[in-house]
Structures are given as structure tokens and as C-alpha cells.
Amino acid sequence: MRRFLGSLYLQVLAGIAIGVLLGHFRPDTAVALKPLGDGFVKLIKMLVVPIVFTTVVTGIGKMGDLRKVGRVGLKAIIYFEVVTTVALVIGLVVGKVVAPGAGMNVDPASLDASAIASYTTAAQHTGGVDFFLNLIPATVGDAFAKGEILQVLLVSVLLGVAIAGMRERARALVEVIDQIGHAFFGIVGIVMRLAPLGAMGAMAFTVGKYGIGTLASLGKLIACFYITSALFVAIVLGLVARIVGFKLTAFLRYILEEILIVLGTSSSESVLPRLMLKMERLGCRPGVVGIVVPMGYSFNLDGTSIYLTLAMVFIAQATQTPMTLAQELGLLAVLLLTSKGAAAVTGGGFITLAATLSSTRTIPVAGLTLLLGVDRFMSEARAITNLIGNGVATLAIARWEGDLDREQMAIVLGSHNHESREAG
């Protein structure tokens, strides 16, 4: 009992299990527990903005070298583009080989397009110009009020650069902001005690609302997506981990609590503050963590990228829409751009798909209705893959920039894995 009370991941596992059982046997009660999951995620999102702000400002302020800030950002963008492109291609290839939608023979005219009206409406505002203009807040306060990560990141970088230029005159200000950041991390520790309840509520709602039976109709697509995501993590991210100099399995054990929380809440944002803290403990410089992790949550969506191309191929197969190689490459090219803003809005994956299908007019947009019933069950794998991808990206860019203490990383991962084995 003492071990259970002292282990967050065991408590979260118990919460998830209870949520599944409640959703299956008491669906009405389970659906009513939705506020538990929503409330927990809102509590964490409440803390994301001040933590990103304080981490970025103090990281850049202490870094001092402004050219280094730009270099880290550029390297992050290059890495994100390469890895997410690989993820998009993998989703496309797997969809073509496995063909999860083959044989469904769905008539697009028979689908109720009104069910996806909210997504297609939002898709009208996902153009490149809109995306870049939305990076700039109306006012500094507006960025914090809306909680837009990229807007807060922009303000934080600008302030950090200004402080770095002031050098010694701003040392006291940097220390104050740093202490405020530590205080907010303390609040995260308090809020995380509610993670088991949040995971239970979110999982209970998902199973109670949609039912495990929903998985049967599109089980092939779901299984295909989960297996593809797992292989992407093991092979692609495993290769990156080997190049950086650590074992992926050791890193996964290190962030096991965060993975379970994401599994329960279907939101990678629910662990963003903890991921930033853990990356610093692994030996990444705070300035690198402060820039790469928030950027990664918008630009490095590996799981979402796999989902986008796999779902695109699935809809084409299910609606018997033939696609030439040129059309597939054209859709892939569009997704290379639209996928980068998928996290900026709620239902980003659906909205990005709707925007892509609407602009290319190759695949019927109404086919998105086929995914509505099971999308929630695939969101866990998307979020977990995104989380792992951003953790690996932070270590890779820190190593690339020479800002990774490899000795500290080896000690932390080694001691954590030793504790895990003893607990097992």
C-alpha cells in the first residue's frame, strides 16, 4: 500500500483501469465524470503559459549569446521538418500497403457532412498567411490571456533577447523571473496529485461515450495506427536516440509517468511543464529546453503526422476514390505545410485534414465522418507519440548544439532505471 501511495504511475494506472471499467459497465455514470478529466487538463494548461514564459526568458537571459538563440531555433525547425516528413511518408506507405479502408465501399453521398461542419468551417482559417499572422498577439497581455503557446513563446523570446542585451543590469530581473518559475513548478507538483482522478475521468468518458464496441467497426484502422506509431518510435526515434547517445527504452522508463498521464487524458499538453523540467534534469540547458519544447508542441507532431496521411489514405480507400502517385505526392506536399499548425486549435488533426482535402479536392471531405466515432481512441497514440518525439528532439538538438551534459544524462537515466527495476 505504501508503494502505491508513493508511486504516481501506479496511481494513474489504477485510475485508467477504473475509468475503463466504469465506462464499460456504468456508461451513464462514466460520461458524467468528464469534468474530472477536463478540470485536470485545464489546471495544467493554466500553468503552461507562466512556465514557458519564465523558462524561455531566464534561459535566453542567462545564455547571453543572441546568435546562439537563433541557431537553436533554426536547428529545431530543421529537425522538426525532417522527422515529421518521415512520419508523414510512413503513414502514407503503411496506408497503401495495409489498406485499412479497402472493401468498405462507402458512397460519399450517403455520409452526413453536417457532422463535420465545425471542422470544415475552422479549416477555412488555416492558410499560411493566417497562421503566421496568428503568431503575433494583439497585445502582450492578449498572448497570456488566450494561452497561445506560440504567441507566448514569441513574447518570451523577444523579452529574453532584450534582457540578454542588458547584461549585468538585468541580472536581478532574471533572478526574480527564475524564482517565479520555480514557484510555478512547485504548483505543478501539487496539481499532479490529481492526475489519477483526471485520467480516470477522461478515460471513463471516452469508453462510456463511444463504447468499446465502436472499435470493432474500424478496428483495422486503429490497430494499423497504433502499430505504425509504435514502430515509428522504436525505429525512427530509436535511431535518433542511438545517434545522440542514449537508449530509447531507458528514456521511455524515465518519462513513464508522463506517458501514462497522456494515455489517460489524451492530451500531451497535460505534461508539458513536467517534460520541460525532466529535460533539464537530464542535462539539457534551460535555454534549449525553453525554446525547443514549446516549439515542438506546435511543429514536431510525429503522431499527428502519421495519423494525417494514414487517415487520408483510409478515406480514399473507403470511398473508392482512386489516387495517382502524383495526387498522393501533391497531398503529401500540402500536409508538409498544414500539419505544422495542427496543434494550434482544438481538433487540430481533423481541421488540418479538412483544410487539406478541401483545398486539393481529390478526396471527398465528407469521408471525415467515418473517423468521428474512433478518433478519440486514436488520440491517445497521437499524443503519446508526440510527447516521446518532443523529448527525443530536445535531447537531439541539445546534443547538436553542444548543450547536453551526457554524463549527467547517463547518471539520471541509469539511476532511474535502477529504481524502476527495484520497484518491479
Side-chain angles (χ1 to χ4, degrees):
M1 186 63 181
R2 182 180 301 174
R3 178 186 165 194
F4 175 79
L5 293 175
S7 174
L8 180 61
Y9 77 85
L10 287 179
Q11 294 172 22
V12 173
L13 267 178
I16 292 172
I18 293 171
V20 170
L21 292 173
L22 279 173
H24 183 63
F25 293 106
R26 293 287 186 273
D28 292 338
T29 302
V31 170
L33 294 178
K34 185 175 185 291
L36 290 178
D38 292 346
F40 173 72
V41 173
K42 287 188 69 175
L43 281 171
I44 292 296
K45 287 185 175 181
M46 171 186 75
L47 300 169
V48 166
V49 168
I51 285 176
V52 168
F53 174 75
T54 54
T55 302
V56 173
V57 171
T58 55
I60 295 176
K62 292 179 179 179
M63 193 182 293
D65 186 354
L66 301 184
R67 287 178 298 180
K68 186 179 183 66
V69 176
R71 197 165 60 240
V72 170
L74 179 61
K75 288 179 177 179
I77 291 173
I78 293 172
Y79 176 93
F80 296 159
E81 190 62 43
V82 171
V83 177
T84 53
T85 299
V86 172
L88 286 166
V89 172
I90 287 175
L92 179 65
V93 172
V94 170
K96 295 288 291 182
V97 173
V98 180
M104 293 185 68
N105 302 325
V106 177
D107 181 3
S110 67
L111 299 173
D112 181 13
S114 63
I116 59 168
S118 59
Y119 298 104
T120 53
T121 300
Q124 298 171 6
H125 305 287
T126 57
V129 175
D130 290 329
F131 175 75
F132 285 107
L133 286 178
N134 286 335
L135 294 180
I136 306 172
T139 64
V140 171
D142 190 54
F144 292 87
K146 290 182 177 179
E148 295 285 351
I149 293 180
L150 289 180
Q151 291 184 356
V152 173
L153 183 61
L154 175 63
V155 174
S156 304
V157 168
L158 291 175
L159 180 59
V161 168
I163 287 177
M166 295 171 65
R167 300 183 183 278
E168 292 299 319
R169 290 178 296 163
R171 176 178 294 182
L173 177 58
V174 172
E175 289 302 320
V176 170
I177 295 175
D178 189 30
Q179 292 303 313
I180 292 174
H182 281 90
F184 275 105
F185 273 116
I187 298 175
V188 171
I190 297 172
V191 172
M192 290 310 298
R193 296 177 183 273
L194 301 175
L197 284 176
M200 181 190 72
M203 186 60 71
F205 168 77
T206 299
V207 177
K209 175 73 173 178
Y210 301 103
I212 295 180
T214 308
L215 303 180
S217 59
L218 298 175
K220 188 176 181 180
L221 172 64
I222 297 170
C224 181
F225 177 61
Y226 269 78
I227 293 171
T228 304
S229 297
L231 290 175
F232 175 84
V233 170
I235 298 173
V236 178
L237 297 184
L239 177 61
V240 175
R242 178 173 294 185
I243 294 172
V244 174
F246 67 95
K247 290 184 178 180
L248 182 65
T249 52
F251 178 69
L252 295 181
R253 284 193 290 267
Y254 178 64
I255 61 168
L256 179 59
E257 290 180 354
E258 288 70 33
I259 290 173
L260 291 175
I261 292 169
V262 170
L263 173 64
T265 61
S266 298
S267 170
S268 57
E269 279 194 19
S270 62
V271 295
L272 188 153
R274 283 174 61 95
L275 180 64
M276 295 178 72
L277 184 61
K278 283 200 166 183
M279 291 301 99
E280 290 185 24
R281 288 175 179 171
L282 270 185
C284 299
R285 283 192 63 174
V288 174
V289 173
I291 294 172
V292 176
V293 174
M295 281 183 65
Y297 265 68
S298 287
F299 297 109
N300 189 40
L301 306 173
D302 301 333
T304 303
S305 296
I306 295 171
Y307 166 81
L308 288 172
T309 44
L310 184 59
M312 177 188 74
V313 174
F314 168 78
I315 294 172
Q317 293 168 348
T319 57
Q320 303 179 78
T321 304
M323 284 199 300
T324 64
L325 178 60
Q327 288 173 324
E328 290 173 354
L329 293 177
L331 284 167
L332 182 63
V334 174
L335 284 171
L336 285 173
L337 299 174
T338 57
S339 63
K340 299 304 177 288
V345 288
T346 303
F350 253 75
I351 293 171
T352 300
L353 258 183
T356 304
L357 299 185
S358 298
S359 62
T360 58
R361 299 183 180 180
T362 303
I363 301 172
V365 180
L368 283 171
T369 58
L370 297 172
L371 300 172
L372 283 175
V374 294
D375 180 71
R376 181 78 182 192
F377 290 101
M378 292 191 286
S379 63
E380 287 91 348
R382 285 202 302 267
I384 290 173
T385 306
N386 291 343
L387 167 70
I388 298 170
N390 282 318
V392 172
T394 305
L395 290 169
I397 294 165
R399 169 73 189 280
W400 189 1
E401 185 61 23
D403 282 336
L404 175 63
D405 188 334
R406 298 179 65 189
E407 183 177 344
Q408 181 177 338
M409 178 179 68
I411 292 172
V412 172
L413 291 181
S415 62
H416 185 85
N417 291 332
H418 178 69
E419 291 172 1
S420 298
R421 286 193 293 271
E422 286 186 345

